Amino acid sequence: MRPTGLLLDLDGTLVDSEPLQRAGYRAFFAARGWAAPDLGMFTGRRAEDVFLAEPGAWIGHDPAQLAAEVRALVPRDVPPAAVPGARECVLAAVAAGVPVAIVTSAGPDWVALAGDALGVFDRVDLVVTAEDVVDGKPHPAGFALACDRLGIAPPGAIAVEDSPAGVRAAVAAGIGLVVGVTTSRTVGELTAAGAQATYADLRPVAALLR
């Protein structure tokens, strides 16, 4: 059956940007003189949410200011490459008449950069960024907002994520099929978070939509 909508994460799902994001975090911790924690805790989440909720050397500092420092250090001279199948996935959904939304923990500036690299954002119906919701992933607010704005029923939709936080957010929003891509985390981590299927990239998802 044709899904009611396709909801796609951005970093690590559509574009191979996790190495760039991690370079920004490493530069941030080095500049602060703090020992870098397991950077996996930031994958799929807004930096300010992690700084607010998780214990670390950053306790007592302004989470929003720290997040701004991280974003300023993420390399932007080389745009992130598209994950294999990413463009085909979006175009297959469009051809099938399935509305497409990007649901990301990134801000508008990074979304614009990544969108230029991907080259198909003009075919996307909706983009939900970090600034559109009060609560970031793993909270379901982003996916719920996307479904509401697209006017679609969550149980009939497909969500694609590369992080456990993103998978949990999609599951909590009631998305019917949550797919994990293993660009950033393992099959075991994604399935433990609730992914019903896992793939190495987006080519199998594009095939599902044709």
Side-chain angles (χ1 to χ4, degrees):
M1 293 179 63
R2 191 182 75 174
T4 58
L6 177 65
L7 313 178
L8 299 162
D9 177 50
L10 179 60
D11 290 302
T13 300
L14 289 175
V15 292
D16 186 19
S17 53
E18 283 303 317
L20 298 177
Q21 300 290 341
R22 293 196 177 208
Y25 279 107
R26 285 193 294 270
F28 163 78
F29 285 110
R32 281 273 177 171
W34 295 342
D38 175 9
L39 297 180
M41 72 170 67
F42 293 95
T43 303
R45 300 174 66 185
R46 300 185 301 193
E48 48 266 53
D49 292 340
V50 178
F51 287 132
L52 180 64
E54 303 293 341
W58 49 83
I59 295 299
H61 296 265
D62 180 6
Q65 175 58 39
L66 297 180
E69 291 178 22
V70 173
R71 287 192 289 269
L73 292 169
V74 174
R76 294 171 181 262
D77 52 336
V78 179
V83 170
R87 296 185 183 95
E88 295 86 347
C89 190
V90 172
L91 295 177
V94 171
V98 176
V100 181
I102 308 300
V103 183
T104 176
S105 296
D109 289 347
W110 180 259
V111 169
L113 178 68
D116 288 343
L118 192 62
V120 291
F121 263 33
D122 60 329
R123 311 301 299 274
V124 169
D125 298 281
L126 173 71
V127 179
V128 176
T129 76
E131 296 184 2
D132 292 314
V133 293
V134 174
D135 300 302
K137 300 171 185 178
H139 195 280
F143 285 106
L145 179 61
C147 290
D148 183 63
R149 288 183 175 175
L150 290 176
I152 64 174
I158 297 174
V160 188
E161 277 278 358
D162 72 305
S163 71
V167 168
R168 291 188 183 99
V171 170
I175 305 303
L177 175 59
V178 181
V179 176
V181 290
T182 57
T183 54
S184 304
R185 305 299 279 268
T186 66
V187 169
E189 290 172 308
L190 295 172
T191 54
Q196 294 134 297
T198 57
Y199 304 115
D201 56 44
L202 287 172
R203 286 173 289 191
V205 181
L208 288 174
L209 294 163
R210 293 192 182 105

